[in-house]
Amino acid sequence: MFKITFRPTRAETPLWWLLLKIVLQTVVFWTLFLLVIPAGLIGLEGVLGWPAFRFDGQQVLGVILFMLGGSLGLTSGATMGIYGRGTPVPFDTARQLVVVGPYRYVRNPMAIAGLVQGAAVGLYFGSYLILLYVVTGMVLWNICVRPMEEQDLETRFGEAFVAYRREVRCWVPRWKGDRVVGK
């Protein structure tokens, strides 16, 4: 099994630089995980002779879901930069525990956003392999990455993270998010 090393962003990093890094990281991740890999999977389906699935409104629904997922991802990234004083990547992670914005409702809004966007791409193109790729990504993230990330958060933020994890679910948003976590 691999190990991720988490390192908080340097304290003196200006907010404008954090937000620019978040935008650049988003462009890299979206390009790789939502363009390059799905294009390869669509090409593989073509080689295998697998037809795309189709239904009325499918592409419109795909675009809407992509925009919703993208909005959640961008909002979550900005919230991480502004309130956490860090970025989403482990080697430049937040200095403060983030429990506001989308994080008030669900612990992993960026993962959810990415999965919604991936599913939206699969839906738009009618690709079974892209949908399988998304499900596989969710399972791998949940069993490989999430435990390491949560161990790091517990080590760095102690009881504050434990209380947050107790109150806010990992994948299913809570609807009592108007209450500040831990108070």
Side-chain angles (χ1 to χ4, degrees):
M1 179 96 125
F2 67 97
K3 174 97 169 98
I4 297 175
T5 302
F6 293 86
R7 190 186 80 220
T9 300
R10 292 191 318 247
E12 67 275 3
T13 305
L15 180 58
W16 69 268
W17 180 241
L18 284 174
L19 295 176
L20 180 60
K21 287 195 297 185
I22 291 167
V23 168
L24 295 174
Q25 291 164 4
T26 300
V27 168
V28 168
F29 277 80
W30 284 8
T31 300
L32 177 62
F33 293 108
L34 301 174
L35 180 65
V36 174
I37 293 173
L41 293 173
I42 290 168
L44 178 58
E45 285 176 329
V47 168
L48 296 173
W50 291 6
F53 62 84
R54 297 279 179 241
F55 60 86
D56 288 341
Q58 154 185 348
Q59 290 187 321
V60 171
L61 181 59
V63 169
I64 291 168
L65 286 175
F66 191 88
M67 290 172 31
L68 289 172
S71 296
L72 175 61
L74 292 171
T75 301
S76 300
T79 301
M80 173 93 46
I82 294 166
Y83 294 97
R85 301 299 296 173
T87 76
V89 297
F91 56 81
D92 202 20
T93 193
R95 301 186 65 73
Q96 306 296 322
L97 180 62
V98 181
V99 298
V100 298
Y103 298 91
R104 179 181 246 177
Y105 300 96
V106 66
R107 287 200 317 263
N108 296 292
M110 277 192 264
I112 291 169
L115 293 169
V116 168
Q117 287 182 289
V121 171
L123 184 62
Y124 183 88
F125 290 106
S127 171
Y128 295 104
L129 279 181
I130 293 175
L131 295 178
L132 178 62
Y133 156 70
V134 171
V135 171
T136 302
M138 181 180 89
V139 170
L140 289 174
W141 190 90
N142 196 52
I143 64 172
C144 296
V145 177
R146 185 184 58 81
M148 287 184 276
E149 180 181 73
E150 289 188 352
Q151 181 58 55
D152 171 67
L153 292 168
E154 187 173 341
T155 299
R156 289 190 297 127
F157 301 117
E159 183 53 39
F161 175 73
V162 171
Y164 173 69
R165 183 175 54 204
R166 188 172 42 247
E167 292 186 38
V168 180
R169 292 182 295 237
C170 180
W171 292 106
V172 179
R174 68 189 187 129
W175 301 112
K176 58 182 178 180
D178 56 328
R179 185 170 66 85
V180 175
V181 175
K183 292 191 177 186

